[in-house]
Amino acid sequence: MTAILLSIAVAVVLGGLVVLSTGANPLSVYQEIVQGALLGRGLGETLSRSVPLIGMGLAAAIAFRAGLINLGGDGQMLVGGLAAAFVALYVPAPGAVRAVLALTAAICAGGLYAWIAAVLQLGLAIPFLITSLLLSYIARGVTSYLVRYPLRDPSTGMPETYRVASAARLPSSIFDLPVSVGMLIMAAVAIAVIVNDKHGVNGFEWRMTGLNPRFAGYSGTNLPRQTQRVAFLSGALAGLVGALLILGQQYRFTDGALLAPGYTWSGLMAAVLAMANPIATVVTAAFFAALQVGGFAMERALGLPAVLTWVLQALIILCLAARPVFFKRR
């Protein structure tokens, strides 16, 4: 944790120098970022943006723990999001039941899509990293075709499905608080992942496999079965994120809308920065969400491009990668 905090501190200083080179005052920029992310409507936006970032961060962290690198979050999120939209639109069931079925379909779709990559690694020795990434391109093409032709709403000029009925959506606030059902679901998932990592047998076996797979195999861990299980859970979490975005924020599947904010790569960076620790991943993902929301507020207030916050985010990752220099043993 000390390394993470020091990396953030160094990145903040370096980011200040970047801001200074543009002629702006770094203190004013950071003040606008903090106020825009944590005060007024900004707090609600930060919490809302934290949901997909935490979900994608945990999806990557689960895989990292067990020695897998899941680069296919985009594809798993797309497959899950489209499955959720399809079930919410076309399954004849009462609204709340349809929402539950849509979430279940998204979890299964995302999980099975990641499971294919695990099977290819085990059966054909194709690295999970490669297959999960390549499967994302297939998912992009297939979902784009489906939403542009068979599932398209012809009343709009956009490549998108029909809007999900109000009864099948996830409420965006509870008791007039800036807390949505999607936030509660993601909080429950995060707690389950943290408890499993700290106290579960599966969590222990995943950590052991990530550190030394040969030792884990000698200790009795069924590595092929574990690989399939971890891949499914990682993909299921990505699929759930897609469903939460469709049912809780966007209300229809629009081609490219799920990928535009870059949730997968931000989540991946959060997991890397946190060294796959679930608690640290949640904190880091929320920090990135605040940084991005604060960046938009800074852009509105000072006229500086919000992309500066992405520069700061990248600097944090670079500083973390250089942590052996900061903590060089003598």
Side-chain angles (χ1 to χ4, degrees):
M1 185 59 77
T2 305
I4 295 175
L5 294 176
L6 183 58
S7 300
I8 292 175
V10 174
V12 167
V13 173
L14 293 177
L17 295 176
V18 172
V19 171
L20 202 59
S21 69
T22 67
N25 184 343
L27 294 179
S28 301
V29 168
Y30 286 135
Q31 183 181 0
E32 289 295 336
I33 290 175
V34 173
Q35 290 180 348
L38 302 179
L39 299 180
R41 293 178 55 188
L43 179 59
E45 292 179 18
T46 298
L47 292 175
S48 178
R49 200 175 185 84
S50 295
V51 171
L53 286 182
I54 289 174
M56 298 309 293
L58 289 176
I62 288 174
F64 282 159
R65 277 297 212 209
L68 296 175
I69 300 177
N70 183 7
L71 296 182
D74 277 350
Q76 294 143 22
M77 182 169 58
L78 283 174
V79 170
L82 188 61
F86 183 83
V87 171
L89 287 170
Y90 298 107
V91 171
V97 176
R98 215 183 312 168
V100 173
L101 291 176
L103 290 172
T104 306
I107 291 170
C108 293
L112 288 174
Y113 204 64
W115 175 77
I116 293 172
V119 170
L120 290 175
Q121 172 171 293
L122 295 171
L124 301 176
I126 305 174
F128 184 82
L129 179 152
I130 301 296
T131 49
S132 61
L133 179 62
L134 294 180
L135 283 171
S136 274
Y137 292 102
I138 297 175
R140 287 187 190 193
V142 172
T143 56
S144 178
Y145 167 77
L146 291 174
V147 79
R148 285 174 183 273
Y149 296 103
L151 302 179
R152 180 173 183 173
D153 178 2
S155 65
T156 72
M158 298 286 289
E160 56 193 12
T161 64
Y162 292 93
R163 284 177 72 86
V164 174
S166 301
R169 298 176 186 173
L170 298 177
S172 58
S173 67
I174 300 173
F175 302 121
D176 293 329
L177 296 173
V179 178
S180 67
V181 170
M183 294 175 194
L184 296 181
I185 292 174
M186 189 51 65
V189 169
I191 291 171
V193 172
I194 291 168
V195 170
N196 178 65
D197 185 78
K198 289 283 185 185
H199 306 291
V201 175
N202 287 328
F204 173 74
E205 289 183 345
W206 296 353
R207 291 200 306 275
M208 189 167 56
T209 303
L211 293 171
N212 192 330
R214 183 176 295 182
F215 177 77
Y218 288 149
S219 302
T221 302
N222 188 329
L223 295 179
R225 187 172 63 185
Q226 185 190 73
T227 299
Q228 296 179 61
R229 189 179 297 171
V230 170
F232 180 88
L233 290 175
S234 178
L237 195 43
L240 175 64
V241 170
L244 294 179
L245 289 170
I246 295 297
L247 301 178
Q249 296 183 22
Q250 300 178 8
Y251 307 128
R252 66 167 84 203
F253 188 99
T254 303
D255 190 22
L258 288 181
L259 303 185
Y263 293 129
T264 297
W265 298 106
S266 292
L268 196 64
M269 285 194 290
V272 170
L273 184 62
M275 290 174 273
N277 181 301
I279 296 176
T281 298
V282 170
V283 174
T284 307
F287 172 72
F288 281 171
L291 202 58
Q292 293 171 11
V293 172
F296 293 124
M298 174 203 68
E299 187 176 53
R300 290 193 297 270
L302 302 177
L304 291 173
V307 73
L308 274 176
T309 56
W310 290 92
V311 174
L312 184 60
Q313 198 169 296
L315 285 172
I316 293 171
I317 300 297
L318 288 174
C319 290
L320 182 69
R323 68 185 185 282
V325 177
F326 301 148
F327 292 91
K328 189 175 182 179
R329 295 180 185 275
R330 299 180 182 279

